[in-house]
Amino acid sequence: MEPNVRFWMTERQSFIQRFLQWTELLDPTNLVLSVEKIEKSRQLLLTNEDASLRDLEDQQIQEAWKRSLSTVHPDNSTLIPVVFRPAAFLPFTAPMVFLSLVSVKSLKSVILPQFSLYTYNTAFNIINGNASYDRHPYESLLLGAGVSASTTFFGLCSHLLQTKLQLKNIFVRKTLPVIILAQVSGVNVVASRSFESTRGIEVMDKEGNVVGYSRRAGTKAVKDTATSRVMLFGTSALIPEVFSYFFKRTQLFLRYPWSLWTLKLSCTVLVMGLMVPLSFSIFPQTGRIQCSKLEKEIQSATEETELFYNRGV
């Protein structure tokens, strides 16, 4: 069985344990690991099938799990490209979120940040999604291009509405971009991983044996990930706006207006720094689903009452 699948399937961590686990996997040093170190760690885990992260007496085993879980895709055992590893998500998206929500008079000023944000999110979702179904590279490329373009357009809707309608209500002006960012981020996940719902993903028994391909499991995996992404971007955009609203009423802002940008950027990075591991931890990495909720051909292929699938990040 693939070591990463075995880990997520057998550890059965609580939400707090998953959160603490993700704080380690999101360590930026995981972006600079050499291929040689990763391969050695993988070999160690493959030769020690009973190895558990709770083997506190074996620091080498702990480090091997950290390297494997943070760099290798559980479905195909391939290395995840450095810029799309989970540890790269925060450094890439936090500045984009900040620039996407900056109040500007010209629509042209936000096109590049919006396009960069949704293009990166699209690629991240496709690469870190479930990869157990058959797909051709050109299909992923075409799907990604279409999703990037469409979600960028919808992401610009808040700026278009504010420009055309000249909204006066401050509550509407501040919350509209937050709502649209959160909802479009969720739609981005659903659209970029739409093949999982239409073609089905692998479902396994507790021994890791593939029972079949389930569209219902794919739909659940995408839905759960989209929900976590809505919470991530919605919260990360809302809290800085709330802080900024009150900061504008202080003497410090009146004396140093430029400090508002510093506050919003710092607040965005800090909130996302907390929300990224939290959102990744809401649902287990390896999901469980009752066999009775799956397609009839899968129910007839096994006597297991519960099956497993890779939810993706």
Side-chain angles (χ1 to χ4, degrees):
M1 187 191 304
E2 156 63 37
N4 289 2
V5 173
R6 186 175 81 244
F7 173 85
W8 292 118
M9 190 181 296
T10 58
E11 287 297 307
R12 299 197 176 192
Q13 298 172 321
S14 65
F15 169 76
I16 298 298
Q17 290 174 321
R18 290 196 299 270
F19 176 78
L20 295 175
Q21 180 69 63
W22 273 111
T23 58
E24 294 186 5
L25 301 183
L26 294 171
D27 185 346
T29 59
N30 292 325
L31 299 175
V32 294
L33 290 172
S34 66
V35 175
E36 183 181 2
K37 287 184 178 180
I38 297 172
E39 289 179 348
K40 285 183 178 179
S41 297
R42 295 277 295 173
Q43 191 61 38
L44 177 63
L45 297 176
L46 288 169
T47 54
N48 293 270
E49 294 190 358
D50 294 330
S52 168
L53 192 68
R54 297 192 180 95
D55 292 335
L56 300 178
E57 69 281 358
D58 196 334
Q59 186 67 31
Q60 194 176 13
I61 292 292
Q62 294 183 58
E63 190 64 27
W65 277 122
K66 179 181 175 182
R67 291 174 179 176
S68 179
L69 293 170
S70 62
T71 61
V72 179
H73 198 291
D75 285 325
N76 49 28
S77 302
T78 59
L79 284 178
I80 302 172
V82 174
V83 295
F84 297 113
R85 290 176 186 172
F89 190 78
L90 174 63
F92 274 90
T93 57
M96 298 178 197
V97 170
F98 166 73
L99 293 173
S100 298
L101 296 174
V102 171
S103 299
V104 293
K105 294 182 180 180
S106 173
L107 183 63
K108 295 179 180 179
S109 303
V110 294
I111 291 179
L112 182 59
Q114 290 275 347
F115 179 74
S116 300
L117 174 63
Y118 291 116
T119 299
Y120 179 83
N121 280 347
T122 300
F124 183 90
N125 293 332
I126 292 175
I127 291 173
N128 288 279
N130 190 291
S132 61
Y133 59 92
D134 292 330
R135 62 182 176 186
H136 298 286
Y138 73 86
E139 290 181 314
S140 297
L141 186 62
L142 290 175
L143 175 65
V147 173
S148 297
S150 58
T151 51
T152 297
F153 171 76
F154 288 119
L156 291 170
C157 285
S158 62
H159 299 279
L160 288 168
L161 291 173
Q162 292 189 44
T163 302
K164 297 296 182 181
L165 302 180
Q166 297 182 345
L167 301 174
K168 301 297 182 182
N169 188 301
I170 187 171
F171 178 78
V172 175
R173 285 195 290 112
K174 293 299 181 182
T175 57
L176 185 61
V178 174
I179 294 172
I180 289 180
L181 173 63
Q183 295 301 317
V184 174
S185 296
V187 171
N188 185 278
V189 175
V190 175
S192 59
R193 294 177 56 177
S194 56
F195 285 150
E196 297 177 33
S197 302
T198 56
R199 298 182 180 180
I201 61 175
E202 286 182 354
V203 287
M204 305 165 285
D205 59 22
K206 58 186 177 182
E207 301 298 330
N209 301 312
V210 177
V211 177
Y213 289 80
S214 171
R215 291 183 296 276
R216 294 179 184 178
T219 300
K220 188 176 187 301
V222 173
K223 180 182 177 181
D224 289 347
T225 306
T227 300
S228 68
R229 212 69 99 235
V230 169
M231 189 196 73
L232 164 61
F233 285 104
T235 306
S236 300
L238 177 62
I239 292 180
E241 289 295 337
V242 173
F243 272 90
S244 300
Y245 175 80
F246 290 104
F247 181 72
K248 287 181 179 179
R249 284 155 177 74
T250 64
Q251 291 295 322
L252 182 61
F253 172 73
L254 296 176
R255 292 182 61 184
Y256 307 104
W258 53 267
S259 61
L260 178 63
W261 280 55
T262 305
L263 173 75
K264 289 190 71 172
L265 177 58
S266 301
C267 191
T268 301
V269 172
L270 289 173
V271 174
M272 286 199 71
L274 173 65
M275 291 304 301
V276 169
L278 194 150
S279 66
F280 287 179
S281 307
I282 294 176
F283 301 100
Q285 194 63 27
T286 295
R288 302 180 189 182
I289 189 168
Q290 294 298 312
C291 190
S292 58
K293 296 181 180 180
L294 299 177
E295 292 84 347
K296 291 184 178 180
E297 57 268 24
I298 294 179
Q299 295 182 37
S300 60
T302 181
E303 295 181 357
E304 297 286 340
T305 58
E306 184 179 60
L307 296 178
F308 301 84
Y309 62 91
N310 174 36
R311 179 179 64 84
V313 180

